[in-house]
Amino acid sequence: MQLYITGTPLGNLEDMTYRAVETLKTVDVILCEDTRTTRKLTNHFGIDTPLRAYHDFNKEESEDRIIEEMHDGRTFALVSDAGMPVVSDPGFELVARMQEEELEYVVIPSGSAFTLALVASGIPSYEFTYFGFLPKTGSKRKKKLKEIMAHELTSVLYESPHKVKDTVGVIADIDGERMISISREITKKFEQHVRRPASEMLGLLDEEIPLKGEFVIVIEGAEPESVHFDIPAAEHVEALIKEGLTPKQAIKKVAEVRGLKKQDVYDEFHETKK
């Protein structure tokens, strides 16, 4: 194998697997987001493998060198600062490139914060959608949250301690009764999981829930809509757009629930706009 995509602990170093330790000891180079963070991990386990930075700001320029070294027989481990690499972290581009180059790789698992938060949430988890981090700008964040709140499946997203209160505020404005769960400091000393209606959760933030650490928000899915098939498909699309979906999303959803072709719904909707 040329690359070992290696999961590391979220916080508690006792969660490190024997396989992960052995892998990091035997590869030629460890690719990591922040060498200072990963050095704490490697020092703890007596791993002296060289570290090399691989992050969003250098991944494109360093990729060619990594691939070239792999062809020469060098082996690498890819880690993130915590948890599973690639998930909301750089790495998928390297994996895709390796597939093109027919280079071998393997995944060594660990927990991801969003899966642990989902398990601890008490919110239905048979089907869910992971949204990662929200857009940074206010208008785009609100638009995305409206889309998420209209989603019928359980939704999971990451949030920073500086923005979590604003985010929960937007959720509460859209539907204050919607059940949400907040998890923070997962696997660490002050781990916390709280499930409440959104409006009630807002009052707990910065009180019972300190604004410290990384947050995971799990949102109960929206209630399935009562679809009135006696109204035209175009009107159904308009109703979903008013609820926060984009035209493209609304057209796709109407086609799915009515058992129609997306192109037919698209044509009918745009015909009414002429």
Side-chain angles (χ1 to χ4, degrees):
M1 295 294 173
Q2 271 77 38
L3 179 67
Y4 295 82
I5 305 167
T6 307
T8 57
L10 294 171
N12 190 329
L13 293 180
E14 293 182 8
D15 293 333
M16 188 74 165
T17 67
Y18 292 111
R19 186 183 178 199
V21 171
E22 187 62 26
T23 297
L24 297 187
K25 284 183 176 180
T26 56
V27 294
D28 295 314
V29 179
I30 299 172
L31 303 173
C32 51
E33 290 181 86
D34 188 328
T35 56
R36 295 166 299 180
T37 299
T38 301
R39 180 57 67 198
K40 295 176 184 177
L41 177 74
T42 56
N43 284 345
H44 182 82
F45 290 102
I47 299 167
D48 57 9
T49 304
L51 305 181
R52 186 186 302 176
Y54 176 83
H55 47 65
D56 280 328
F57 303 105
N58 76 346
K59 60 188 179 185
E60 292 182 6
E61 61 191 49
S62 61
E63 189 177 283
D64 287 340
R65 177 188 172 191
I66 294 169
I67 295 295
E68 183 179 344
E69 291 181 36
M70 286 181 181
H71 279 298
D72 289 337
R74 299 200 84 190
T75 57
F76 293 80
L78 174 65
V79 302
S80 64
D81 285 346
M84 279 303 300
V86 182
V87 180
S88 290
D89 284 320
F92 80 87
E93 305 94 336
L94 180 59
V95 173
R97 178 74 181 276
M98 292 187 67
Q99 291 172 345
E100 295 169 3
E101 300 278 344
E102 298 185 349
L103 290 165
E104 294 183 326
Y105 59 91
V106 68
V107 178
I108 298 177
S110 75
S112 289
F114 80 88
T115 56
L116 273 64
L118 182 64
V119 168
S121 70
I123 291 174
S125 56
Y126 298 108
E127 293 183 289
F128 67 93
T129 301
Y130 167 67
F131 287 95
F133 289 97
L134 294 170
K136 293 182 179 180
T137 59
S139 59
K140 290 182 178 179
R141 286 169 64 82
K142 288 184 178 180
K143 182 179 178 181
K144 189 65 178 180
L145 277 169
K146 286 182 179 180
E147 173 192 329
I148 291 171
M149 291 295 287
H151 199 51
E152 291 183 6
L153 302 182
T154 295
S155 300
V156 188
L157 55 94
Y158 288 155
E159 191 52 280
S160 72
H162 312 293
K163 296 180 179 179
V164 65
K165 198 164 186 177
D166 287 342
T167 296
V168 173
V170 174
I171 293 172
D173 285 343
I174 296 171
D175 183 358
E177 297 303 310
R178 185 77 62 87
M179 194 67 70
I180 68 173
S181 172
I182 282 185
S183 296
R184 55 179 290 273
E185 297 290 83
I186 296 174
T187 78
K188 300 176 184 178
K189 182 178 180 180
F190 298 105
E191 179 171 344
Q192 189 175 23
H193 307 279
V194 180
R195 181 172 68 97
R196 295 285 191 281
S199 58
E200 186 178 335
M201 184 72 80
L202 187 60
L204 299 180
L205 289 166
D206 208 16
E207 297 293 336
E208 294 183 27
I209 305 174
L211 301 184
K212 297 178 180 179
E214 294 301 317
F215 286 77
V216 185
I217 304 175
V218 181
I219 306 172
E220 183 181 37
E223 289 292 331
E225 298 172 22
S226 55
V227 179
H228 301 288
F229 292 108
D230 55 336
I231 66 171
E235 290 185 24
H236 190 182
V237 172
E238 286 282 9
L240 294 180
I241 291 173
K242 289 179 181 178
E243 292 179 10
L245 272 65
T246 66
K248 183 177 180 181
Q249 292 165 343
I251 289 168
K252 180 181 178 182
K253 189 168 185 177
V254 169
E256 288 175 350
V257 299
R258 289 175 176 250
L260 301 173
K261 293 181 179 179
K262 283 193 293 184
Q263 187 61 49
D264 292 342
V265 177
Y266 176 91
D267 292 341
E268 181 178 335
F269 173 69
H270 285 281
E271 185 65 31
T272 64
K273 297 299 181 181
K274 293 180 179 179

